[in-house]
């Protein structure tokens, strides 16, 4: 047995022994990847408009002749059964073990943003829907379920979560994010990381850093933000997921900030990530981003030059195929432009992860790793039940002014179900779900999943009701020919349920998703006209928006009997939505992004200093939201009272507790989300009027009450001062307990005393230590 195969030895010792045996080409091979997609054949569909940077330079045998670091998307590229996918993965791993000199297996990675992106695997709600649950425990359970499925077929690393903080709702990838507040993004994202990694799957944080702040909300655009916004808004979720979640991998953003591409930025990938935060995992490139240093950023003269810049900066692995980290990198080392020690640094990180995954253990086999021969169900009833739970918990009741909801399941209703999202279940799915991401390239092939539409679910939920259906208009395009029939259906009904929104896709093949950026926030296609026409019929109307971003609803929200928002609730979205509409499930979702009033005047997230907010008479643009961050109604009512502070003063290195009593005063059980905000009214720099400090959910039966308490350290009030250091300074802090950022129920002030403190990352508290009631 080779010393590197001996699991009883320390990991670093095993890796050192292996590296001592490796040639330069074998080392460099560990920094590359292979994607069989590129060699499927000339008829294979394109992945992206920039596919030239993604395609392999060599065939399979040549690409893996000296070994390989990663196998890219063995399941997520084409519609393979789990058995067929495992067979291909086992074959490639067996080749690496049996046919290469050192027999080093590869790390197999795949997408898992809305569940394991494999044919026939459960599709969970989008990350924006995770955020709407405001429930870390639930999302950790979901992450664990996804990790179990990936592990069961030999996948070692997942390319999720996305920790970009939304800055402009027009950006196409808003659906992939966890909202517009760094505290919420960090809490939910870290929970997902813990869940996924609890099953032995490496989580990959992306996109590091600033992708969502791209200029003009365009995909692949420069980022124009200052160092303070980067430090205080963009970076905290990544730091938290690394320091508290133990995330094992980071993926760079495609963007450049102030002219410096992230893929070639040593201040970001080494100084901050590794030296300041102590990150010890691997940095993997977003697909093609090393080659983009030459083709799109133009900071490299050749692919070899791009490899040198990326490797020097701290980029360990080139994905999805070896293009720059192959012969070009080898030549850079041979010529002396890249020290071999720089290659060794990255190789050591990759091999340490392979040791941690058990890939170098003497007993490891490709067959056992992929559980070959073991039955696997990637869409089990347990998965679907969890997907329904997350979907239902993410639904946000925005308005119910005429109390038309919930619908009585025992009554007979005449309902006109209208809209393009009412009978198209793929509108429930995000752009990185397998059915929307891959299956459009295989027309005529079944989706591999049974995905009931809302129409299907409502018919089952309301068996005594008469439910007619009219599409009215498609999601996209200007075809309004169906609007008259939709209006006629509404006029003949007691209630109109209008279901509008997005159909997610990639690079313009959808209204939401990667590359599907928009000029304004009006509903896509002719849906705006459809909603107006149905409202003009005079029939009480419930507006249900199923979307990947918030759309402006100011033109009609006050005319609706009720308004419901769902951020792509996944394959069980039909049942989840129907359950909320009928009251089988209590609505308890909260907005992770604001709902705008008007389509223009963007961006307008809530995290703004006074100058970023509406100012009467100074500008004609009114950016006040229609529904604020954190907003969400219930079918019951709650009273908040008895605010308590453990102290009126706390030192700048101290902590305190704030709590309140919450009571259910309605006649139905419900879940309230208590949100703790703070304001630092006098600081060295202009700071947001409100910032989320923490949140806690509490489930209460009618008449039941519970105390919700938060314990905060003064570090939670830290920010980047004038000299660029993170500081906590003495002074007044305003504390606000609210049902949303615009619905503050209780408020208090606390004074920070003592000297100004300068913080580094070591020992800094990133999260409030909330003492929360049991999640329900």
């Amino acid at each position: 047995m080779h010393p590197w195969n001996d699991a009883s030895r320390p990991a670093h010792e095993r890796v050192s022994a292996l590296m001592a045996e490796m040639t330069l080409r074998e080392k460099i091979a560990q920094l590359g990847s292979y994607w069989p997609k590129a060699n499927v054949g000339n008829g294979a569909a394109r992945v992206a408009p920039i596919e030239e940077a993604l395609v392999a330079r060599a065939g399979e045998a040549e690409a893996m002749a000296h070994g390989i670091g990663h196998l890219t998307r063995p399941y997520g590229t084409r519609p393979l059964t789990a058995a067929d996918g495992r067979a291909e993965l086992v074959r490639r791993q067996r080749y690496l073990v049996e046919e290469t000199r050192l027999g080093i297996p590869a790390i197999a990675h795949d997408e898992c943003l809305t569940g394991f992106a494999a044919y026939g695997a459960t599709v969970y709600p989008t990350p924006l829907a995770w955020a709407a649950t405001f429930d870390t425990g639930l999302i950790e359970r979901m992450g664990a379920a996804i990790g179990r499925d990936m592990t069961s077929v030999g996948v070692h690393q997942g390319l999720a979560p996305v920790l970009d903080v939304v800055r402009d709702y027009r950006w196409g990838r808003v659906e992939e994010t966890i909202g517009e507040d760094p505290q919420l993004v960090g809490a939910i994202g870290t929970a997902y990381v813990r869940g996924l990694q609890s099953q032995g799957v490496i989580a990959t944080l992306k996109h590091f850093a600033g992708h969502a702040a791209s200029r003009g909300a365009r995909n692949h655009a420069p980022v124009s933000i200052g160092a303070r916004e980067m430090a205080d808004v963009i970076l905290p979720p990544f730091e938290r997921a690394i320091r508290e979640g133990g995330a094992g991998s980071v993926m760079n953003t495609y963007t450049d900030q102030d002219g410096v591409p992230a893929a070639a930025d040593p201040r970001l990938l080494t100084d901050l990530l590794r030296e300041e935060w102590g990150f010890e995992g691997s940095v993997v490139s977003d697909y093609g981003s090393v080659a983009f240093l030459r083709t799109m950023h133009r900071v490299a003269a050749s692919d070899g030059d791009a490899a040198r810049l990326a490797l020097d900066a701290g980029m360990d692995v080139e994905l999805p195929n070896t293009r720059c980290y192959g012969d070009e990198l080898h030549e850079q080392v041979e010529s002396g432009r890249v020290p071999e020690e720089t290659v060794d640094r990255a190789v050591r990180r990759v091999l340490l992860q392979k040791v941690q995954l058990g890939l170098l253990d003497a007993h490891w086999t490709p067959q056992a790793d992929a559980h070959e021969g073991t039955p696997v169900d990637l869409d089990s009833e347990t998965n679907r039940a969890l997907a329904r739970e997350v979907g239902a918990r993410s639904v946000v009741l925005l308005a119910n002014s005429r109390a038309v909801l919930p619908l009585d399941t025992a009554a007979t209703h005449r309902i006109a179900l209208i809209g393009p999202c009412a009978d198209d279940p793929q509108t429930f799915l995000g752009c990185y779900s397998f059915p929307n991401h891959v299956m459009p390239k295989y027309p005529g092939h079944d989706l591999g999943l049974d995905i009931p539409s809302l129409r299907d679910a409502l018919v089952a939920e309301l068996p005594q009701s008469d439910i007619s259906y009219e599409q009215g208009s498609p999601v996209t395009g200007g075809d309004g020919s169906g609007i008259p029939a939709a209006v006629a259906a509404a006029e003949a009904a007691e209630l109109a349920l209008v279901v509008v929104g997005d159909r997610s896709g990639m690079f313009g093949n959808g209204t939401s998703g990667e590359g599907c950026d928009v000029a304004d926030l009006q509903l896509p296609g002719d849906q705006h006209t459809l909603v107006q026409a149905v409202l003009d019929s005079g029939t009480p109307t419930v507006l249900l928006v199923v979307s990947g971003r918030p759309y402006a609803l100011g033109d009609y929200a006050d005319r609706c009997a009720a308004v419901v928002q769902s951020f792509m609730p996944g394959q069980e979205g039909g049942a989840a939505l129907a359950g909320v509409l009928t009251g089988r499930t209590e609505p308890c979702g909260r907005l992770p992004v604001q709902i705008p009033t008007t389509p223009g005047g963007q961006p307008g997230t809530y995290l703004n200093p006074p100058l970023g907010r509406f100012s009467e008479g100074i500008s004609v643009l009114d950016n006040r939201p229609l529904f604020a961050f954190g907003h969400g109604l219930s079918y019951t009512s709650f009273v908040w009272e008895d605010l308590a502070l453990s102290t009126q003063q706390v030192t700048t290195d101290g902590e305190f507790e704030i709590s309140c009593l919450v009571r259910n005063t309605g006649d139905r059980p419900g879940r309230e989300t208590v949100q703790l905000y703070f304001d630092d009214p006098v600081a060295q720099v202009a700071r947001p009027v409100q910032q989320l400090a923490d949140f806690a959910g509490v489930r209460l039966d009618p008449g039941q009450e519970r105390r919700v308490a938060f314990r905060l350290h003064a570090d939670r009030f830290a920010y980047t001062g004038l000299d660029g250091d993170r500081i906590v300074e003495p002074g007044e802090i305003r504390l606000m307990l609210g049902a949303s950022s615009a619905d503050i129920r209780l408020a208090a002030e606390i004074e920070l005393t003592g000297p100004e403190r300068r913080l580094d990352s070591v020992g800094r508290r990133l999260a409030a230590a909330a003492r929360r009631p049991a999640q329900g």
Side-chain angles (χ1 to χ4, degrees):
M1 180 173 62
H2 298 296
W4 56 85
N5 299 131
D6 185 353
S8 68
R9 293 174 178 256
H12 281 279
E13 182 180 311
R14 296 171 66 185
V15 169
S16 294
L18 177 55
M19 290 181 64
E21 294 293 321
M22 298 176 79
T23 66
L24 176 60
R25 285 201 178 275
E26 287 169 333
K27 290 177 182 178
I28 288 175
Q30 292 301 309
L31 307 183
S33 54
Y34 177 67
W35 193 9
K37 150 68 183 83
N39 294 333
V40 169
N42 294 332
R46 290 174 65 86
V47 173
I50 45 162
E51 185 160 294
E52 291 72 20
L54 312 182
V55 174
R57 292 187 182 277
E60 180 175 311
E62 183 181 353
M64 300 195 302
H66 301 286
I68 201 76
H70 275 240
L71 290 173
T72 295
R73 300 191 66 180
Y75 295 91
T77 299
R78 50 199 175 102
L80 296 171
T81 66
D84 288 343
R86 283 199 291 197
E88 286 198 7
L89 179 58
V90 166
R91 179 182 62 78
R92 290 189 175 93
Q93 293 281 37
R94 186 184 292 120
Y95 172 87
L96 291 170
V97 171
E98 297 176 359
E99 303 298 329
T100 65
R101 188 176 75 91
L102 294 174
I104 305 171
I107 293 173
H109 77 256
D110 230 308
E111 298 284 356
C112 57
L113 192 63
T114 59
F116 180 24
Y119 181 68
T122 304
V123 180
Y124 293 87
T126 58
L128 199 57
W130 311 349
T133 69
F134 274 68
D135 190 335
T136 56
L138 177 61
I139 302 310
E140 184 168 344
R141 283 199 287 127
M142 185 196 72
I146 295 169
R148 278 193 296 274
D149 284 344
M150 299 178 82
T151 301
S152 73
V153 290
V155 178
H156 312 110
Q157 182 165 343
L159 303 188
V162 170
L163 297 185
D164 296 304
V165 179
V166 174
R167 304 304 284 159
D168 190 325
Y169 308 135
R170 298 173 299 172
W171 191 50
R173 305 187 78 166
V174 167
E175 65 170 68
E176 299 179 40
T177 75
I178 309 174
E180 66 183 61
D181 181 89
Q183 172 69 16
L184 179 63
V185 175
I188 298 291
T190 298
Y192 177 87
V193 168
R194 285 174 172 155
L196 192 73
Q197 295 197 159
S198 72
Q199 305 303 306
V201 176
I202 297 170
T204 308
L205 312 181
K206 56 186 190 180
H207 307 87
F208 193 64
H211 199 36
S214 59
R215 191 181 300 163
R218 293 178 60 252
N219 199 33
H220 284 229
V223 170
S224 301
I225 60 174
R228 185 167 289 103
E229 183 177 351
M230 177 69 86
D232 291 351
V233 177
I234 304 301
L235 294 176
F238 291 94
E239 183 179 4
R240 184 169 179 181
I242 288 166
R243 289 185 51 207
E244 296 185 356
S249 187
V250 168
M251 175 181 280
N252 70 288
T253 173
Y254 284 127
T255 58
D256 57 66
Q257 184 187 3
D258 197 24
V260 181
D265 189 352
R267 295 170 302 174
L268 184 69
L269 300 184
T270 297
D271 297 352
L272 176 69
L273 181 62
R274 295 195 182 277
E275 295 180 8
E276 185 174 337
W277 291 356
F279 177 67
E280 296 182 346
S282 63
V283 176
V284 300
S285 78
D286 203 345
Y287 286 11
S289 61
V290 178
F292 291 163
L293 294 175
R294 175 180 64 83
T295 61
M296 299 186 73
H297 298 291
R298 303 195 302 178
V299 298
S302 66
D303 284 347
D305 201 22
R308 175 180 58 81
L309 289 173
L311 195 65
D312 281 349
M315 185 78 71
D316 299 319
V317 179
E318 181 185 19
L319 302 180
N321 275 301
T322 304
R323 289 187 57 82
C324 305
Y325 274 22
D327 291 341
E328 293 79 2
L329 178 56
H330 187 272
E331 192 278 329
Q332 291 275 321
V333 178
E334 291 284 281
S335 66
R337 288 189 290 272
V338 173
E340 188 166 351
E341 292 78 9
T342 304
V343 172
D344 288 349
R345 180 184 67 180
V347 173
R348 179 170 293 275
R349 293 167 184 160
V350 174
L351 293 179
L352 277 171
Q353 288 199 319
K354 292 190 176 186
V355 167
Q356 291 159 6
L357 290 165
L359 298 179
L360 299 186
D361 292 353
H363 67 273
W364 186 91
T365 66
Q367 297 90 334
D369 186 62
H371 301 275
E372 192 176 51
T374 303
V376 60
D377 184 358
L378 298 178
D379 187 36
S380 66
E381 177 49 43
T382 301
N383 280 4
R384 292 193 297 273
L386 181 56
R388 280 194 298 276
E389 183 179 1
V390 177
R393 291 278 295 277
S394 71
V395 178
V396 185
L397 178 62
L398 297 178
N400 194 21
S401 57
R402 301 186 204 174
V404 296
L405 298 178
L407 301 173
D408 185 353
T409 57
T412 300
H413 305 279
R414 284 185 294 113
I415 299 173
L417 181 62
I418 295 167
C421 299
D423 199 32
D424 180 359
Q426 283 186 256
T427 61
F428 297 157
L429 314 181
C431 72
Y432 269 86
S433 66
F434 195 91
N436 284 13
H437 186 60
V438 176
M439 295 313 297
K441 305 178 184 69
Y442 297 89
H445 202 295
D446 68 274
L447 294 180
L449 292 168
D450 178 23
I451 312 177
S453 70
L454 177 58
R455 182 184 182 186
D456 298 329
L458 277 178
V459 168
E461 197 92 16
L462 299 169
Q464 300 185 59
S465 294
D466 176 14
I467 302 175
S468 63
Y469 167 72
E470 293 288 343
Q471 184 190 57
S473 70
V475 171
T476 59
D479 181 9
S481 61
I483 293 178
V487 171
E491 290 174 339
E494 298 171 334
L495 180 73
L497 176 55
V498 183
V499 191
V500 295
D502 284 315
R503 199 176 197 276
S504 194
M506 302 283 287
F507 303 111
N509 294 316
T511 59
S512 174
E514 185 172 359
C516 299
D517 315 311
V518 295
D520 61 41
L521 297 174
Q522 183 166 287
L523 285 166
D526 218 20
Q527 295 180 86
H528 175 81
T529 304
L530 172 64
V531 175
Q532 294 276 29
V534 173
L535 287 169
D536 288 344
S537 73
T539 300
T541 299
V542 174
L543 178 64
L544 171 54
V545 183
V546 180
S547 63
R549 62 164 62 83
Y551 284 105
L553 305 180
D555 284 348
Y556 24 75
D558 61 352
R559 300 175 60 196
C560 296
V563 184
V564 178
Q565 173 69 55
S566 175
F567 294 111
M568 295 179 176
Q571 77 177 60
E572 292 295 318
L577 289 168
V580 170
L581 292 172
T582 61
R584 175 173 49 81
T585 303
E586 287 292 314
C588 58
R590 300 293 182 264
L591 287 176
V593 288
Q594 301 193 119
I595 303 295
T597 303
T598 60
Q602 302 300 320
T605 69
Y606 95 103
L607 206 62
N608 275 314
L611 281 183
R613 299 202 164 205
F614 175 67
S615 49
E616 186 88 43
I618 295 177
S619 171
V620 297
L621 291 177
D622 186 348
N623 63 352
R624 287 176 293 187
L626 184 65
F627 298 105
F629 175 84
H631 173 75
L633 303 178
S634 174
Y635 292 147
T636 189
S637 57
F638 300 94
V639 167
W640 301 23
E641 56 193 7
D642 194 21
L643 172 68
L645 267 178
S646 61
T647 181
Q648 297 298 315
Q649 293 184 332
V650 65
T651 60
T652 52
D653 63 351
E655 58 184 18
F656 66 96
E657 185 173 281
I658 181 172
S659 66
C660 71
L661 199 65
V662 180
R663 184 169 66 255
N664 185 341
T665 56
D667 57 4
R668 300 172 63 100
R671 185 177 189 272
E672 181 70 303
T673 299
V674 179
Q675 301 160 43
L676 174 60
Y677 296 90
F678 72 94
D679 174 28
D680 185 354
V682 180
Q684 294 181 9
V685 299
R687 301 195 66 202
V689 174
Q690 287 175 304
Q691 298 179 75
L692 185 68
D694 205 7
F695 55 90
V698 55
R699 189 186 185 282
L700 299 170
D701 292 326
Q704 187 180 12
E705 64 180 28
R706 296 180 76 174
R707 180 164 290 276
V708 178
F710 301 91
R711 192 161 190 86
L712 261 64
H713 193 277
D715 286 4
R716 186 65 191 86
F717 309 122
Y719 68 95
T720 303
L722 285 172
D723 59 5
D725 288 340
R726 189 173 294 276
I727 61 171
V728 179
E729 58 183 351
E732 177 188 281
I733 297 291
R734 295 172 183 166
L735 302 167
M736 297 158 278
L737 290 167
S740 78
S741 59
D743 184 8
I744 301 302
R745 304 290 179 85
L746 300 167
E749 295 177 356
I750 193 167
E751 184 181 1
L752 300 183
T753 63
E756 177 181 295
R757 292 176 56 231
R758 276 171 163 69
L759 307 180
D760 58 25
S761 291
V762 179
R764 179 165 69 89
R765 285 77 165 180
L766 299 175
R771 295 192 315 167
R772 305 176 183 192
Q775 299 281 341

